[in-house]
Amino acid sequence: MQTRSIELELNGKTCSRTVPVTQTLASLLREGFGLSTSISCGEGNCGTCSVLVDGQPVRSCLMLAVQASGRAVKSLEGLADQLPRLQKAFSENHAIQCGFCAPGFMIAAASLLCSNPKPCEAEIREAIKGHLCRCSGYSGFVSAILDAAQE
Ligand code: FES
Ligand code: FES
């Protein structure tokens, strides 16, 4: 199996690993670093595996680990400063039912609020498009992110 050494900034810390060239970033985060990054569809369809790469939301099941070399990656664990207000807003707006989609929506919301602290509804809908929720619908997420933006 062909491998390559990579170095990346993961949740604020410089890390290095030797990885198979075919390993996805999602797999590296879960199996190499023990993080909670979810893998559901594994094909780029659901958004639940999203992480931030250089501040931008990325589906980590579609990105190779070697492509993360030299870049700054943040998983949910790296967003501890933002999670409490998001979790509170998601809960109060009943945005989440089964929780399948929650990690992806959290990453999308955190990314949006970082670049645009007071987004309008249209901007929120644009930020969460492509994240699939099969049970709660999307209006709860929109309301939750609007609420989180007020805090
Ligand atoms: S697991 Fe990556 S988009 Fe679904
Ligand atoms: S809450 Fe179940 S898929 Fe979104």
Side-chain angles (χ1 to χ4, degrees), residues 41-47 49 59 61-62 130:
C41 71
E43 298 178 344
N45 294 320
C46 70
C49 65
R59 283 154 205 249
C61 71
L62 293 183

Side-chain angles (χ1 to χ4, degrees), residues 94-107:
H94 308 291
I96 296 171
Q97 301 298 318
C98 76
F100 162 87
C101 62
F105 278 97
M106 292 274 183
I107 289 283

Side-chain angles (χ1 to χ4, degrees), residues 52 55-57 82 85 108-119 123 127:
L52 299 180
Q56 297 300 313
Q82 296 194 53
R85 72 168 169 160
S111 172
L112 173 65
L113 294 177
C114 191
S115 61
N116 180 2
K118 297 291 178 196
E123 290 167 329

Side-chain angles (χ1 to χ4, degrees), residues 18-29 31-32 63-66:
T18 299
V19 300
V21 294
T22 55
Q23 185 174 28
T24 64
L25 177 59
S27 166
L28 174 66
L29 295 177
E31 293 154 29
M63 184 172 186
L64 292 173
V66 293

